[in-house]
Amino acid sequence: NIRRKKNIHIFIEGMRNILKSNEAIIGVVVGQPVQDDLPYYEEIKTMISDFGLQDRIFLLGFQDAAPALMHYLHIFCLLSEYEGSPNVILEAMAAGRPVIATQTSGIPDLVSDGGSGLLVPPRNVKAFEAALSKLLDNPHKCHQMGIEGLKIVKSQFACEKMAKQLLLIYNKLLRREK
């Protein structure tokens, strides 16, 4: 969903400068505007237009196959103000993509800063720009971070492992009730 808390405007502002010096780079935003935050969606559309980035940043709307889209991205960004533990980060890591995300809520539990991605403070355009430049300027590091993220997903978040952990929690809770 496209909501103000997702800080898409920070992504657009950061991309604005990056795109000036990188002709081959484009940005995509996946998600649908939500009814209670339609003014924000209009703001980001206007921002893209005002910056002259209509042919460089694309609003793709809702996508059924969002996890499959990850394989077409080089870097995944989530600059939310706050999140729980977003599945979309695990989807990006499972696709072997490095992650740039905000250092908030449950995100640092998923993204290893400097390992599977880079963490930036929320609402910090300059930090996002620096992180993105760092990965764009070092394709090898970018690739290594993607590999590291995939390893983390396979070792810590595989379905079988998660199911076993969930069963352990349920069994522990059931024993406590007796």
Side-chain angles (χ1 to χ4, degrees):
N1 290 327
I2 294 178
R3 297 180 173 279
R4 189 171 299 278
K5 78 167 191 136
K6 300 287 187 177
N7 285 334
I8 294 163
H9 62 285
I10 300 294
F11 174 78
I12 294 166
E13 286 181 44
M15 288 292 287
R16 178 184 190 187
N17 291 328
I18 296 291
L19 293 173
K20 287 178 187 174
S21 59
N22 293 283
E23 291 292 319
I25 304 294
I26 63 165
V28 296
V29 176
V30 176
Q32 64 189 1
V34 292
Q35 194 63 37
D36 63 339
D37 222 344
L38 286 177
Y40 180 64
Y41 182 68
E42 294 303 319
E43 283 176 39
I44 63 172
K45 286 188 346 187
T46 300
M47 192 177 194
I48 290 169
S49 178
D50 288 351
F51 291 167
L53 299 175
Q54 305 90 312
D55 61 342
R56 305 292 301 281
I57 296 179
F58 301 93
L59 302 174
L60 300 183
F62 175 79
Q63 298 291 314
D64 279 329
L69 282 175
M70 296 294 179
H71 295 279
Y72 296 99
L73 304 177
H74 292 284
I75 300 167
F76 174 79
C77 306
L78 183 67
L79 303 174
S80 297
E81 191 78 24
Y82 55 90
E83 289 279 351
S85 293
N87 285 332
V88 69
I89 286 181
L90 295 176
E91 292 166 354
M93 291 167 53
R97 300 302 176 243
V99 173
I100 298 174
T102 44
Q103 204 167 9
T104 185
S105 308
I107 293 173
D109 294 332
L110 302 175
V111 178
S112 165
D113 190 30
S116 59
L118 298 172
L119 295 173
V120 298
R123 300 178 311 278
N124 191 322
V125 175
K126 292 295 179 197
F128 167 61
E129 272 184 55
L132 187 54
S133 290
K134 183 176 185 174
L135 292 184
L136 290 171
D137 292 344
N138 192 340
H140 178 72
K141 180 67 174 169
C142 193
H143 179 72
Q144 288 303 117
M145 285 183 167
I147 290 170
E148 181 62 25
L150 181 56
K151 286 180 187 175
I152 290 170
V153 168
K154 285 182 175 180
S155 68
Q156 296 177 25
F157 298 99
C159 290
E160 298 80 17
K161 182 173 180 140
M162 297 302 290
K164 285 179 186 177
Q165 289 176 340
L166 190 57
L167 283 173
L168 288 173
I169 291 168
Y170 285 155
N171 286 330
K172 185 177 180 180
L173 290 172
L174 287 171
R175 282 192 298 275
R176 193 182 300 168
E177 281 187 17
K178 292 180 180 180

